[in-house]
Amino acid sequence: MNKKIPVQISPYIRTHNSYQKLKICRSCGNFTVLGDEECGACGKMALVPVEDRAAALTSGAAWLERLLALVLWGAAIGLGTNDMEWAASGAAGLILIVLLIVAQNKFAETRYRHQLTKLFKRGEDQLVEGLGIDHDEAIEVFQEGDKPLAYEMLREVGMLVRTDQLRMEQILLLQSFILRKDMDLMLEPLLTHRFSPDLVEYIGELAKVRKDLIKEKTFRYVLVHELQILHMEQGEQILARVAGAAVRMKRYVIMYPHLLVRYASKLPKDRFLRLCMILNSDRTRNWGEVGIEVYTVFNARYKHDPDFQSLGGMTFLADSTRYSRY
């Protein structure tokens, strides 16, 4: 394994919708998510945010409709033959233009969303091609030796192109970094559909530095691939770390009892103490096999430990006959 390197990674700027970071070329219609100034397809400095482009097209269509209405208004007045007809045409035209503007304003958001959808539908091929160019640019940056920037670029592309290949490229880069608690890291968007030892090692690293990132999808992934993980060199230690992350919340202890039953004895003292505190906080609950295992480990290792004295000996778990099997 290559030696891990210390790096600085720019925080990921989150948006309400992933497409909000897309830019489109006014010249060729190519898309990019990397925020470049120059279009990677045609080389022109014509990139604008896709939302701005949709807004501009929507506004242009509205002004075109108003211009057409003015032309028709003028034509109606011109076809009049007397003052009464001119006055009637002028009044009717003015009312219709006012109603047109009111209707345009009322449905402006709907028209904008429709225009945005048309941009993506009409430019589907350009979107795929543009994101492919972005990916190639990231690989070039990696080959030039700037791994942190390459990761940041792949991270942006990966939010729109959700393939296992892109996920693994990001994971391999992350695994070459020294991960720290202050880094803006992510996990769930990188979970692959198939078992990956590299992903599991990354999960193990995060279980040490960012337990808060270990959530439901990760617990399910680990349980599905538990046997394969156990065949890894550090597999059991990784599973124990994930179990240690599960004791962050009572909800996880309840949702994933099998994980804790199997690895409670492998937990470091501070995580096992946390697990005991969770069980002790709800003495009336049927903790099942988790309760049995915790009581067994407690009696074997921590019964006389001063740090556990405030828990009252965990005697409420003593009667194992109270608990049904899961």
Side-chain angles (χ1 to χ4, degrees):
M1 181 181 291
N2 294 330
K3 184 178 178 181
K4 294 180 182 288
I5 59 174
V7 297
Q8 292 289 337
I9 298 175
S10 299
Y12 179 70
I13 300 174
R14 289 164 173 77
T15 57
H16 183 67
N17 296 300
S18 55
Y19 66 77
Q20 289 177 293
K21 291 189 177 182
L22 277 171
K23 288 186 176 182
I24 185 172
C25 179
R26 295 192 307 269
S27 177
C28 68
N30 179 66
F31 290 86
T32 180
V33 74
L34 296 182
D36 298 327
E37 297 298 328
E38 181 180 304
C39 177
C42 68
K44 294 183 179 179
M45 306 290 284
L47 290 174
V48 295
V50 68
E51 288 186 303
D52 291 355
R53 182 61 175 164
L57 291 173
T58 303
S59 177
W63 280 107
L64 184 61
E65 291 169 355
R66 293 171 189 177
L67 179 61
L68 180 60
L70 285 171
V71 170
L72 293 176
W73 185 21
I77 294 174
L79 292 174
T81 57
N82 54 59
D83 291 343
M84 183 175 293
E85 291 181 356
W86 292 332
S89 299
L94 180 60
I95 292 171
L96 288 175
I97 288 176
V98 170
L99 290 175
L100 173 64
I101 294 174
V102 169
Q104 287 177 336
N105 291 336
K106 182 177 180 180
F107 296 104
E109 182 64 22
T110 301
R111 295 176 59 143
Y112 162 75
R113 294 295 174 189
H114 178 67
Q115 184 62 59
L116 195 61
T117 301
K118 280 179 61 178
L119 270 180
F120 290 133
K121 188 173 182 180
R122 187 173 56 202
E124 186 175 352
D125 292 339
Q126 289 98 322
L127 177 60
V128 173
E129 181 182 353
L131 293 174
I133 292 173
D134 287 346
H135 176 262
D136 292 343
E137 287 182 11
I139 298 302
E140 287 179 14
V141 170
F142 167 75
Q143 292 171 344
E144 292 169 0
D146 194 341
K147 289 185 177 181
L149 179 57
Y151 165 71
E152 291 171 9
M153 296 169 73
L154 288 173
R155 181 177 61 184
E156 295 291 352
V157 178
M159 287 300 174
L160 289 165
V161 182
R162 301 183 183 276
T163 65
D164 279 358
Q165 178 188 341
L166 255 171
R167 293 183 181 107
M168 288 310 306
E169 289 172 352
Q170 293 175 74
I171 290 166
L172 290 173
L173 277 170
L174 286 165
Q175 279 297 84
S176 70
F177 304 153
I178 297 175
L179 303 182
R180 303 186 311 276
K181 188 175 183 178
D182 64 332
M183 284 182 171
D184 187 4
L185 301 170
M186 58 181 61
L187 177 55
E188 290 196 348
L190 299 180
L191 292 175
T192 57
H193 294 96
R194 298 181 180 181
F195 171 71
S196 164
D198 293 302
L199 172 58
V200 172
E201 289 180 5
Y202 177 60
I203 291 172
E205 289 294 311
L206 286 184
K208 290 192 294 185
V209 299
R210 288 292 304 274
K211 291 180 177 62
D212 58 300
L213 294 180
I214 312 294
K215 299 179 182 178
E216 284 92 339
K217 289 183 180 179
T218 305
F219 291 125
R220 290 197 294 269
Y221 178 89
V222 166
L223 287 170
V224 167
H225 301 291
E226 183 179 1
L227 291 178
Q228 293 164 292
I229 295 173
L230 284 171
H231 283 96
M232 295 173 58
E233 184 177 353
Q234 302 292 324
E236 190 174 56
Q237 292 91 323
I238 291 172
L239 287 166
R241 289 180 203 160
V242 174
V247 304
R248 281 195 318 110
M249 300 175 64
K250 178 180 176 180
R251 178 163 61 96
Y252 295 154
V253 175
I254 295 171
M255 291 175 66
Y256 307 104
H258 297 291
L259 184 66
L260 291 163
V261 168
R262 288 194 281 273
Y263 302 102
S265 63
K266 306 293 182 183
L267 294 176
K269 177 181 172 179
D270 65 314
R271 305 314 294 166
F272 186 77
L273 176 58
R274 170 66 181 165
L275 176 57
C276 288
M277 292 172 65
I278 289 175
L279 270 60
N280 191 60
S281 69
D282 190 352
R283 287 171 168 253
T284 61
R285 186 179 186 83
N286 182 341
W287 288 107
E289 288 192 69
V290 174
I292 298 172
E293 182 64 19
V294 167
Y295 188 68
T296 301
V297 176
F298 170 80
N299 276 331
R301 297 183 188 172
Y302 303 110
K303 187 174 183 178
H304 302 294
D305 191 312
D307 294 334
F308 288 77
Q309 295 309 303
S310 63
L311 301 176
M314 305 294 287
T315 54
F316 70 100
L317 296 174
D319 186 6
S320 61
T321 60
R322 291 172 54 208
Y323 302 103
S324 58
R325 292 284 174 181
Y326 282 100

